[in-house]
Amino acid sequence: RENFPMNARQILGFCGFAALGYAFCEPFRLRVREWDVSLPDLPASAHGTRVLQISDIHAGMYLSRVLLRKIVALANAQNADLVVLTGDMVSRRNAYHPPFVRPLARPVTDYAQDLARELEILKPKLGMFAVAGNHDVWESDFGPIAGILARAGVQNLNNRAVILSNGLPLLGLDDLRGGFPDLSVLKSVEKTAAQLVLSHNPRLALALSGRNALVLSGHTHGGQVALPAPFGRTPVDAQSSHFKRGFYRVGAAQLYVCSGVGSIAIPVRFGVLPELAVFTLRRSGNF
């Protein structure tokens, strides 16, 4: 029998289909990334605190119930003291491609209810807190979604500051694109005090550069699809600040941009695994 070796076009086609198939599988390859973070003058009672960040869940028609339950179960297994959600809990209707898919999407509040039912199993001793992302506010204000998540014990931290029971200040800012971040809330905590700040959009870290802060952000999905230029996705809000994924030093502040667990446009990832981030806070010397 004759052999018919594949030509270059066939090989490229095969590789393309294989890559596409993998891209639809990668959203299920959840991982946990753990970090030790030193903060000057962290309260002794907060030393060793484990903070779990969940970002960019994008609950919607592209996020299966199986994957959502897997995300929450993995989060629950981390035994975190504090759980923070850094925005884009749901996907707005216009995020779905192709456009003819959009009418099939349920209201964002329906997906928020699905999410709240799963989050109820999380019971961190210091509580759960959330700030809004652009998708959470583009179809309405954050109020309805925040109210639904409150039933699962998630507290709305938009433009608010609280002092946790371990003495750690926790601040939250509204989304930079779709909301109205009120920087005056920062005045409630001294710049030199060790603090945790939640901001969906990492660009707001530029306004926090003088603070002794760990800033937790998301929004970029780490690029979601890591391809060489010009094919790779660089989110608009990351272009002017270069904040894409991982740790950055912004003056005195430390910024972590989480790659998140969900996806937008189409339910694929490539070269950017979905992640939960866990930070163990450590006390260091003077600020």
Side-chain angles (χ1 to χ4, degrees):
R1 190 173 66 176
E2 285 191 65
N3 292 322
F4 294 94
M6 297 175 67
N7 60 35
R9 182 177 296 180
Q10 289 171 322
I11 292 172
L12 287 174
F14 174 80
C15 292
F17 278 113
L20 182 62
Y22 171 79
F24 279 97
C25 294
E26 189 167 286
F28 290 85
R29 295 188 59 201
L30 288 166
R31 66 174 174 174
V32 177
R33 304 194 74 186
E34 297 201 37
W35 310 92
D36 280 2
V37 178
S38 294
L39 284 172
D41 297 325
L42 182 74
S45 54
H47 179 78
T49 298
R50 284 173 59 83
V51 181
L52 169 67
Q53 180 188 13
I54 310 175
S55 196
D56 297 89
I57 299 170
H58 283 283
M61 64 183 299
Y62 284 164
L63 183 70
S64 72
R65 185 65 62 87
V66 171
L67 180 53
L68 177 57
R69 287 176 175 168
K70 183 177 180 179
I71 291 166
V72 177
L74 186 59
N76 196 42
Q78 305 314 306
N79 297 314
D81 302 302
L82 173 68
V83 173
V84 297
L85 287 77
T86 49
D88 280 2
M89 274 71 77
V90 298
S91 281
R92 68 186 181 115
R93 192 180 299 269
N94 283 349
Y96 301 112
H97 296 301
F100 65 78
V101 173
R102 296 171 188 171
L104 304 178
R106 292 152 51 203
V108 291
T109 50
D110 284 7
Y111 295 118
Q113 289 170 354
D114 293 344
L115 176 59
R117 281 191 287 269
E118 302 302 328
L119 289 175
E120 285 179 341
I121 71 168
L122 300 179
K123 304 292 182 183
K125 66 180 181 180
L126 297 176
M128 287 193 289
F129 297 84
V131 292
N134 49 300
H135 282 258
D136 302 317
V137 297
W138 272 345
E139 291 195 17
S140 65
D141 62 51
F142 187 47
I145 292 173
I148 291 168
L149 295 180
R151 301 170 199 166
V154 180
Q155 301 179 56
N156 179 4
L157 200 67
N158 254 14
N159 295 329
R160 292 183 56 228
V162 298
I163 304 297
L164 300 175
S165 60
N166 66 355
L168 178 68
L170 174 63
L171 303 91
L173 295 170
D174 197 2
D175 180 62
L176 183 62
R177 292 181 70 192
F180 301 94
D182 182 3
L183 296 181
S184 68
V185 73
L186 302 174
K187 297 177 182 178
S188 61
V189 176
E190 291 290 335
K191 288 184 177 181
T192 57
Q195 57 203 270
L196 184 62
V197 183
L198 310 183
S199 169
H200 176 67
N201 195 310
R203 263 204 300 149
L204 271 177
L206 297 171
L208 305 170
S209 62
R211 308 187 73 85
N212 179 20
L214 171 61
V215 184
L216 301 182
S217 296
H219 181 57
T220 68
H221 301 194
Q224 189 168 315
V225 176
L227 295 175
F231 306 104
R233 174 181 177 271
T234 299
V236 171
D237 288 320
Q239 287 177 348
S240 60
S241 64
H242 78 263
F243 302 138
K244 192 170 185 179
R245 61 176 174 267
F247 268 107
Y248 299 87
R249 173 66 72 169
V250 188
Q254 301 175 70
L255 166 68
Y256 187 78
V257 184
C258 183
S259 294
V261 293
S263 56
I264 58 169
I266 52 176
V268 300
R269 281 178 176 255
F270 190 86
V272 187
L273 292 176
E275 68 176 34
L276 300 174
V278 179
F279 308 90
T280 301
L281 305 184
R282 305 293 185 190
R283 179 180 172 86
S284 62
N286 293 333
F287 179 68

